[in-house]
Amino acid sequence: MRAVPEELRGRALTVLSAGPLTVQGVGMALAGPAALVAGVRAAGVLGVLSCGALALGARARTAGDRNARRS
């Protein structure tokens, strides 16, 4: 947020909060059909694995951004 000009911070926060809300909706839209096809447990495991993969990807990207700023 420090990189965003003060007059644009409201807009930046709106975009920042819209991302997780959109992903939650998409996740729920995909969870229903996955549960129908593969069963509830398998769909739950798939959801957990997907979240873990997204978290690891975000962490790697953040670490890469930090390393790029140091150079």
Side-chain angles (χ1 to χ4, degrees):
M1 288 302 297
R2 292 181 209 158
V4 178
E6 190 172 335
E7 64 272 7
L8 296 177
R9 287 189 182 164
R11 291 181 186 179
L13 283 173
T14 300
V15 172
L16 186 64
S17 65
L21 291 174
T22 302
V23 171
Q24 285 176 350
V26 170
M28 294 310 295
L30 295 174
L36 287 174
V37 172
V40 174
R41 286 185 181 168
V45 169
L46 180 62
V48 169
L49 293 175
S50 298
C51 288
L54 288 171
L56 289 174
R59 184 174 182 167
R61 182 175 177 194
T62 302
D65 290 345
R66 280 192 211 129
N67 291 335
R69 278 187 245 146
R70 288 181 187 164
S71 299

